[in-house]
Amino acid sequence: MYTLNATFRNLRTGASRVWLGGLAIALSVAFVVAGTLVAEASRARIVEPALSAPVGTTGVIVAESGRLPAAAAELGVAASDRTVVLFGPDGRSELAGERRVFLADGRAVRMVSGELPGGADEIALDSSAAGILGLGAGDSVPVRTEDGSVVVMRVSGTVVPRTGTTGVAATVAGMERLLGPGVDQVQLRGSAAETADAVAALGDAVRYTDLRGQQQQESAQAGRGLGVLGLLLSTLTVVCAVAGTFVIANTFYVVAAGRRREAALLRAVGATKSQVRRVFAVEALSLGTVASVIGVVAGASAGTLVGRFMGFHVAPDARLIVVGLVLGMVVTLAGTWGPVRGIAQVAPVAALGAAELTEVERPSQVRWALVLPLVIGAALAVQVPIVGAVIGGVLTFIALVVLGPILVPRIGRIVVRGRGPVAKLARANVVRYPKRSARTSVAVVLGVALATSVTALVTAAGNLAELMPESIVTVYAPTVTTDMEQVLSGLPGVDSVDPMGPSELRLNTSPALTDEVATEVAGQLPNWPGARLGTDADRAAEYSSAVAWITTSLGAVAAMSLIVGLLGVLNTVRLAALERRREFAVLRAIGMTRGQLVRLVVREAMGLAGIGVFLGLVLGAATIYGMLGMLSLLLIPLISWWLVASICVAVLVVAAVGAVFPARAAARVSPAYALADTTN
Amino acid sequence: MTPASQLVTTAEPVTTDPSHNQVAVSARSLSKTYGTGPTAVHALRSVNLDIERGRFSAIMGPSGSGKSTLLHLLAGLDTASAGSVRIDGQELGALGDDALTRLRRDRVGFVFQSFNLIPTLTAAENIRLPLDLAGRQPDRAWFDYVIASVGIADRLNHRPSELSGGQRQRVAVARALVTRPAVAFADEPTGNLDSVSGAEVLRLLRDAVTHAGQTVVMVTHDPAAAAHADRVVMLADGMIRHDLIAPGLDAIVAAVASGSASA
């Protein structure tokens, strides 16, 4: 009973100390949940084009120019890439937004309620639009057509498109009314022979795309996209988990240090070690549970909002909720395991100890020995491409975490400059608890390292195209055919031909022969209407769009880590200020002004952030080197120092500004408090 | 009852001239009230007191007598509800927080019961801290004298955690004296020390007064410690009950007994 009561009492009294730690857990969970939701929405964006034709469609015909005659629609299912805008009953709201128009045909849409449109003035809405606009069969809906005019259509019922999630359905006549005469494309289904006949019947004015081949290629591409997406999501999860773990660990280490006497008192009056442990464990778990739930709710809400903003229907499912909760609890357990175990080790006699200003911590130098195998492991790992770089990065990170407490005093003396008494005290305080400072800096280290790598990647991406020798020839055509592929791979000097998409072929050649191959290819191009040689601009555009997507995502992860990291810095500063109330009172009593005390706390926050920035730059440089090997030496002049410097400065400024609040609170301590003879 | 010749009651104002250079700290009609209305606690009730320069004064009194409150007010650590305090002729009530802080830094020294050295600084850095905060250079001769007198010359580069309790308190005494303050306040300076170390610290304070002309005000509940003082002021219920000049241990014990009997 006592255990339970004590726990709940502590939770209430201790909440003001641990809430920032809880916030770090909640934020980490929220980022993972929201990130996963948004990533899945963007995956939908990647996958959807590959599936934009209903299952069973073998090919698509489109007009070379203008539109297909209405007659062509009889060959298959008419479809359109163009959109119309639905208006609400008040004629103004555009809540339902843009909709693609599908042919009212069972092969294109599935009926939900009512009937399929029967005439040119009828339309079937997707369930989502019908719900948003509050319309059902028999109602009228104003629709802004392709040419900008508004026509009123009668709602015949609701449908769900067989591809995508939204879209309206109309007859061929209805489509012409909404989108203009003719149709954009006709989706064919049937055997290859039937398809070939149908296309031949339409003559030269049409272009045929073999959708089966295209789908295979696109899903292969989408698969590659998913691979990258999975990697990014894992990175996000790991970074969030690590950042959150270290912040919550620090919170509990500091709180546990402050409650040593309380724990000793419990031990002195007869509590066993496991009972003491339970008091703190229950407290940690309660905080973890509350923070995880808040994190899941916040993350799901934010992810849904962002996803909707991007135009996709996002709904968090049970799996994601469970993942978020489990992540939060794992982070809590991992972070509080050490301090909770440590607090129970306190000797009962400590309850009787005299109140004294908290001591200085000295980490063991044995850590150097632990680091050696990690560094060797990392050095070996990076020899293996990609996977090795990841393993190497993780090992280097672990080495830094292990080495942190020993490095902190050295780095602290570098990053906290200045000669005055305030600078001197700040320097001493930053390195006073090396383990705590090291733990505090971890999330900032991760953030800065990621940000540095990302900026290097961005710069590299911009310059790599120029650096790379011209060893690849690319051919673009409206539609790539097997005939083209065969002809091109038969050319002298061409090692192989890779189809890169429905309209791109990549020819691999030896660098020396690139120019000759390009000339030969140019000679073949007149055989294929619309085909052209890829230019540097094409490659750069393709390259940078892929890199931009990855760097944006990694940049977001870096930003997340920096946010959690700064939260951790402010948390540590705040807890330290509470813990050192008496010391601050002494300083005030012997002549430190409030202004000097505020500056002291602010400089400590900047010092902690500075340690993170310093180590982050080291890890970032190591990561770049690991990823790009010797190439990174070439890239050094290309790294955007301005961007890196701006990020570092921003981190320090935020730390300083954020620390003003705990600093001002700390400076309010009465100097008379120095004379009190208890530690609270 | 204590002999009347050794008693000065609070009813009559202290006669020393406050503007006279011989007064380091003076209090006039000093009151401190916590709370308001029927629950108000009158920690100090219109206290008049002059602390002479170059003297070792002790303030005694049981818990709740107001001696801590008096110390806070005399040292400029807290503000009075009514009345005034002058340190070195400077009226404290007129000062803002920064000016008050500067006054503490330059003209007041503190020795605390629990030493209160800054753990991250070495002994020498702790001693110099008040000067550093003021951006002042130490007076070399005085600095050397203080270091030599407290006998920690060989421990100057040690941190507090590497010093014994007695050594820490000697460092704290040096810190209190380094600015050559108008007055040094010592709050139960022997409270956390064994008797040998405690006696050593009392001797240091006594020497600072006798040999260096410093002014020391010590708050204590230990009659043996108070016996080192030139003057012992005893408080009870927020008022000065006894004001003894150079009393022996017996007179102090007798006064303490009378105070607790009347309480």
Side-chain angles (χ1 to χ4, degrees):
Chain A
M1 268 321 284
Y2 174 73
T3 306
L4 211 59
N5 289 339
T7 300
F8 287 124
R9 199 194 60 232
N10 287 342
L11 248 190
R12 283 199 300 274
T13 56
S16 69
R17 301 207 163 202
V18 295
W19 74 269
L20 266 176
L23 186 58
I25 299 180
L27 262 185
S28 302
V29 170
F31 275 120
V32 170
V33 170
T36 309
L37 273 173
V38 174
E40 279 175 357
S42 64
R43 174 170 66 180
R45 179 170 278 177
I46 295 172
V47 175
E48 202 175 41
L51 305 175
S52 64
V55 180
T57 306
T58 52
V60 175
I61 38 178
V62 295
E64 278 290 0
S65 61
R67 300 211 174 163
L68 294 171
E74 290 164 19
L75 294 173
V77 181
S80 173
D81 285 333
R82 307 177 195 220
T83 56
V84 295
V85 177
L86 303 174
F87 287 86
D90 57 359
R92 286 184 292 118
S93 120
E94 297 187 12
L95 276 177
E98 297 192 351
R99 287 293 188 276
R100 285 180 67 178
V101 183
F102 293 89
L103 182 69
D105 184 299
R107 290 169 295 182
V109 296
R110 188 167 54 78
M111 283 306 302
V112 176
S113 67
E115 298 170 6
L116 284 177
D121 58 349
E122 286 193 332
I123 191 170
L125 306 178
D126 57 85
S127 322
S128 157
I132 293 171
L133 299 172
L135 295 174
D139 293 330
S140 295
V141 58
V143 181
R144 189 168 72 215
T145 66
E146 168 75 6
D147 63 11
S149 61
V150 175
V151 296
V152 176
M153 306 283 277
R154 201 182 72 82
V155 179
S156 66
T158 55
V159 294
V160 174
R162 295 204 184 270
T163 64
T165 52
T166 61
V168 297
T171 60
V172 171
M175 287 177 83
E176 290 197 323
R177 191 173 171 214
L178 294 172
L179 305 172
V183 294
D184 289 307
Q185 58 170 261
V186 172
Q187 297 164 349
L188 304 176
R189 35 194 67 222
S191 68
E194 285 170 335
T195 304
D197 290 347
V199 175
L202 288 169
D204 289 341
V206 302
R207 183 151 55 82
Y208 169 67
T209 303
D210 175 6
L211 215 52
R212 277 198 175 139
Q214 180 181 333
Q215 264 180 347
Q216 280 163 3
Q217 285 169 358
E218 287 195 355
S219 34
Q221 275 188 324
R224 278 202 296 278
L226 289 184
V228 175
L229 199 70
L231 198 65
L232 284 173
L233 274 180
S234 322
T235 312
L236 172 72
T237 309
V238 169
V239 169
C240 283
V242 170
T245 301
F246 278 90
V247 173
I248 194 67
N250 229 12
T251 307
F252 270 81
Y253 270 114
V254 179
V255 167
R259 296 231 200 114
R260 256 175 61 87
R261 278 171 84 90
E262 189 190 335
L265 199 63
L266 284 174
R267 293 278 286 125
V269 299
T272 63
K273 279 188 184 180
S274 63
Q275 280 175 317
V276 172
R277 225 178 354 249
R278 214 175 306 143
V279 169
F280 287 87
V282 167
E283 199 170 318
L285 287 179
S286 313
L287 179 76
T289 310
V290 172
S292 304
V293 170
I294 293 175
V296 167
V297 171
S301 315
T304 307
L305 273 177
V306 173
R308 291 241 168 99
F309 181 74
M310 289 165 68
F312 286 92
H313 177 68
V314 215
D317 54 3
R319 178 190 54 88
L320 193 57
I321 292 169
V322 169
V323 165
L325 292 178
V326 167
L327 179 77
M329 294 317 287
V330 166
V331 164
T332 308
L333 284 174
T336 55
W337 176 259
V340 165
R341 228 167 48 97
I343 187 75
Q345 304 297 325
V346 65
V349 73
L352 309 171
E356 182 58 280
L357 297 185
T358 34
E359 298 292 346
V360 180
E361 195 180 70
R362 299 211 177 281
S364 156
Q365 299 288 317
V366 174
R367 286 162 181 270
W368 283 112
L370 293 171
V371 164
L372 199 62
L374 289 169
V375 172
I376 293 173
L380 290 177
V382 292
Q383 306 304 318
V384 186
I386 303 172
V387 179
V390 174
I391 295 172
V394 170
L395 289 179
T396 311
F397 174 71
I398 294 173
L400 266 187
V401 168
V402 171
L403 214 49
I406 302 179
L407 295 178
V408 156
R410 292 168 170 80
I411 301 167
R413 284 180 199 112
I414 296 170
V415 296
V416 187
R417 315 290 311 177
R419 292 177 50 81
V422 170
K424 196 157 134 190
L425 280 169
R427 190 154 49 235
N429 284 331
V430 161
V431 304
R432 178 179 193 166
Y433 303 107
K435 287 186 196 165
R436 187 191 288 183
S437 299
R439 280 194 298 266
T440 304
S441 66
V442 164
V444 178
V445 171
L446 273 179
V448 171
L450 266 173
T452 312
S453 320
V454 169
T455 60
L457 214 59
V458 171
T459 327
N463 292 277
L464 217 53
E466 294 159 27
L467 276 182
M468 277 200 310
E470 184 69 25
S471 63
I472 297 169
V473 178
T474 318
V475 174
Y476 290 95
T479 308
V480 166
T481 59
T482 42
D483 166 52
M484 283 176 73
E485 210 173 315
Q486 276 165 7
V487 171
L488 289 172
S489 58
L491 290 175
V494 175
D495 297 333
S496 64
V497 175
D498 294 329
M500 300 305 291
S503 54
E504 182 187 348
L505 283 175
R506 183 165 292 179
L507 283 62
N508 299 313
T509 68
S510 63
L513 297 173
T514 305
D515 288 344
E516 285 108 282
V517 169
T519 317
E520 288 165 16
V521 172
Q524 296 288 334
L525 289 179
N527 298 334
W528 306 303
R532 64 180 178 85
L533 265 173
T535 60
D536 285 349
D538 290 323
R539 289 199 307 154
E542 192 177 291
Y543 191 66
S544 60
S545 80
V547 171
W549 193 75
I550 294 172
T551 51
T552 307
S553 316
L554 278 178
V557 178
M560 187 291 314
S561 189
L562 286 178
I563 290 171
V564 174
L566 283 166
L567 198 67
V569 167
L570 298 181
N571 184 37
T572 299
V573 166
R574 193 172 150 274
L575 289 174
L578 288 171
E579 183 181 63
R580 286 173 16 220
R581 234 188 115 199
R582 186 181 170 78
E583 188 177 315
F584 288 165
V586 171
L587 288 169
R588 290 280 288 124
I590 65 173
M592 183 176 257
T593 61
R594 278 205 181 125
Q596 282 176 315
L597 190 46
V598 168
R599 286 213 319 273
L600 172 64
V601 175
V602 167
R603 297 221 43 179
E604 284 179 25
M606 291 178 74
L608 286 172
I611 289 172
V613 167
F614 188 100
L615 284 173
L617 288 174
V618 170
L619 183 64
T623 311
I624 297 170
Y625 186 81
M627 281 193 311
L628 304 170
M630 289 308 288
L631 194 55
S632 65
L633 294 178
L634 293 174
L635 289 175
I636 284 173
L638 304 177
I639 288 174
S640 171
W641 293 112
W642 271 112
L643 202 54
V644 172
S646 315
I647 292 168
C648 297
V649 169
V651 167
L652 294 177
V653 168
V654 172
V657 171
V660 167
F661 300 97
R664 289 170 68 99
R668 275 197 290 272
V669 67
S670 162
Y673 186 71
L675 296 144
D677 48 3
T678 52
T679 38
N680 1 303
Chain B
M1 284 286 118
T2 328
S5 65
Q6 291 188 347
L7 292 182
V8 179
T9 64
T10 50
E12 40 188 285
V14 179
T15 47
T16 326
D17 175 5
S19 64
H20 192 273
N21 198 30
Q22 287 310 301
V23 177
V25 187
S26 79
R28 286 293 170 272
S29 310
L30 197 60
S31 297
K32 181 71 179 178
T33 308
Y34 296 102
T36 53
T39 56
V41 175
H42 300 281
L44 276 187
R45 300 163 188 265
S46 194
V47 167
N48 292 310
L49 179 66
D50 280 346
I51 303 290
E52 297 91 344
R53 217 177 273 281
R55 300 278 292 275
F56 186 176
S57 308
I59 298 175
M60 294 190 72
S63 297
S65 63
K67 65 179 192 298
S68 295
T69 306
L70 180 60
L71 175 69
H72 292 173
L73 295 181
L74 292 182
L77 297 173
D78 202 355
T79 52
S81 304
S84 68
V85 174
R86 283 173 184 272
I87 293 179
D88 214 12
Q90 171 67 54
E91 165 68 51
L92 301 191
L95 299 179
D97 186 74
D98 278 357
L100 202 55
T101 304
R102 279 195 295 276
L103 178 123
R104 281 199 305 269
R105 192 166 72 193
D106 300 334
R107 296 197 243 173
V108 180
F110 287 99
V111 179
F112 305 95
Q113 176 176 359
S114 43
F115 324 136
N116 282 346
L117 299 180
I118 304 303
T120 50
L121 302 181
T122 63
E125 288 169 335
N126 263 291
I127 294 171
R128 269 201 306 270
L129 188 55
L131 294 169
D132 283 348
L133 287 172
R136 276 164 55 192
Q137 285 302 313
D139 172 345
R140 202 68 236 176
W142 177 249
F143 188 78
D144 292 342
Y145 168 76
V146 168
I147 300 288
S149 66
V150 299
I152 35 132
D154 57 330
R155 317 292 284 174
L156 283 179
N157 291 319
H158 289 62
R159 285 179 204 283
S161 58
E162 297 158 342
L163 301 175
S164 72
Q167 288 170 332
R168 287 186 213 187
Q169 196 63 309
R170 282 189 273 151
V171 171
V173 170
R175 178 176 70 182
L177 296 176
V178 74
T179 56
R180 216 197 278 250
V183 55
F185 291 97
D187 180 29
E188 302 277 10
T190 60
N192 278 355
L193 297 178
D194 62 79
S195 58
V196 175
S197 304
E200 177 71 10
V201 165
L202 288 169
R203 189 189 61 74
L204 284 177
L205 295 173
R206 179 71 256 178
D207 286 354
V209 173
T210 311
H211 299 130
Q214 289 291 298
T215 307
V216 174
V217 177
M218 174 175 72
V219 169
T220 184
H221 61 263
D222 177 7
H228 288 74
D230 300 317
R231 175 189 183 191
V232 178
V233 176
M234 289 201 187
L235 269 75
D237 304 323
M239 292 181 288
I240 294 178
R241 184 63 50 101
H242 304 291
D243 194 344
L244 313 174
I245 306 301
L249 183 56
D250 292 346
I252 297 172
V253 171
V256 167
S258 83
S260 48
S262 65

